[in-house]
Amino acid sequence: MISYNYRMSKYEAVIGLEVHAQLITQSKMYCSCDTNYQQAEPNTHVCPVCLGLPGTLPVVNKEAVRAVIMTGLALNSEIAKTTKFDRKNYPYPDLMKGYQISQFDEPICLGGYLEIGNEKIPRKIRVHRVHLEEDVAKLHHETSIGTQNTYSLVDVNRAGVPLMEMVSEPDMRSAEEARDYLTELHSILQYLGVSTAQMEDGAFRCDANVSIREKGSKELGPKVEVKNMNSFRAVQKAISFEIERQSALADTGERVIQETRGWDESKNITVSQRSKEKANDYRYFPEPDLPPLEINLEWVTRIKATLPELPRQKISRYSKEMGLSTYDASLLASNSKTADYFEKSLGFSKNPTPQTPKSIANWINTELAQYLNQGNVDILNQPVTPEIMSELVELIEQKIIGSAQAKQVLAEVYKTGKSASEIIDSLGLKQVSDTGELQVAVLQAISENPKAVEDFRSGKDSAQKFLVGQVMRLTQGKANPSVTATLVAEELSRYSNSKE
Ligand SMILES: [Zn+2]
């Protein structure tokens, strides 16, 4: 048997991704139907235009064009001065008109790139194009009870929802790189606010073109298009499988067939669906009902001015200006909501120190993240508000509570939604820093542990630590550790003096 590693040293994978994202707009791409269809009864968000009735005329949704331009600018693409729409013809029951209004040879955005990897090993994945089209209807496949006859129901609510297609160049060389590209693109769209990019709702969908070739070769092998991947994990697994499958075929001298394959999540394999149509099978031709669009440069400039700070810019700012590690900064910036939460928390800090951003980041990325992940909870919609988070970190910095107490407080806030100081009061968690109060505990610890004092006198420094621990025990963990350590040291120094 030939090992995977051997194969991967012989072959190289060539991967390109086609990503479709539904755009957030009030109305559909070519009619005024409401796009908010997810909870709606089937076939209630429809009109003659999106039902594809004869004699109707489409009108381009300007908001959708704006969203595509915005995406193109974020992907460093060139924005076309003129663009046009084309009919993509194919017969399928989910296509109401029998064709889809898409863009063929004059897309809105051409070229560009997206950066993946880290500062040490950055990678630019080139973008081929970004264009605008419309979503299709949804088919529900049913089986009649009793007869086992199968039939399909058509829900047209989704038909005509603006859909943006982003096509990469075949620049990715591994399943991990493909996943990185997809994650980065996903987070850019969320930052731009142009798409919910929810994979589970089908608002963000990815197809992968995978081929292999011998290392060093410039030729491209037969391309296999992989579909049906419903999560980032599935994308990575499906591409890995496909690279392995094609390499195994090449090793036995068999030809890889150019085809479309579907990812079978339950079996962890790709399955042949159909041999690939060529682009001209779609008989593209210019949409006669829509005139070409002129894109005004001034409009593009205005859109450019509204671009928000993007994930990679945030990571760089968090690490350069706030001293966060790239790892922490990436965790915060990977999702616009988490970044938003972090910046809001920082904004509430009344007396921020150079350490504050780091502390807040730690609490978000570890303790809070743990609670949110357990329940798959939205960070902007949970009891630990940015204000409470900043209060909590401030209380630790001011040594009013220790980090063990802070964890307890966070858990309690998450459960009850009360403020941190309220919980500290009600649970009596306040750290004791008052020397008078602590001195009593220190003296008690010393009188209860003559052996430790003996040990200290005979030169065992660990005895000092032991006594600090005893003070912690006597105060139920509320003693301020550094004040306690000073007091214990002072007290013990008397014994060492009296020794001489
Ligand atoms: Zn409509």
Side-chain angles (χ1 to χ4, degrees), residues 360-417:
I360 292 180
N362 275 338
W363 281 92
I364 295 174
N365 287 341
T366 54
E367 286 300 311
L368 184 60
Q370 188 190 319
Y371 288 112
L372 300 182
N373 292 342
Q374 276 166 10
N376 198 15
V377 175
D378 183 339
I379 194 167
L380 294 180
N381 192 14
Q382 48 88 26
V384 188
T385 61
E387 195 167 4
I388 293 179
M389 178 54 83
S390 112
E391 185 191 359
L392 190 67
V393 169
E394 205 148 76
L395 289 168
I396 303 166
E397 285 181 341
Q398 292 169 351
K399 303 210 172 357
I400 293 169
I401 51 172
S403 63
Q405 284 82 20
K407 283 183 191 176
Q408 214 178 324
V409 174
L410 185 82
E412 212 48 40
V413 174
Y414 192 74
K415 240 195 286 175
T416 63

Side-chain angles (χ1 to χ4, degrees), residues 28-34 45-52 156-157 159-160:
K28 289 188 183 177
M29 188 57 224
Y30 306 112
C31 61
S32 57
C33 288
D34 186 353
H45 291 213
V46 296
C47 73
V49 174
C50 56
L51 281 168
V156 186
N157 284 349

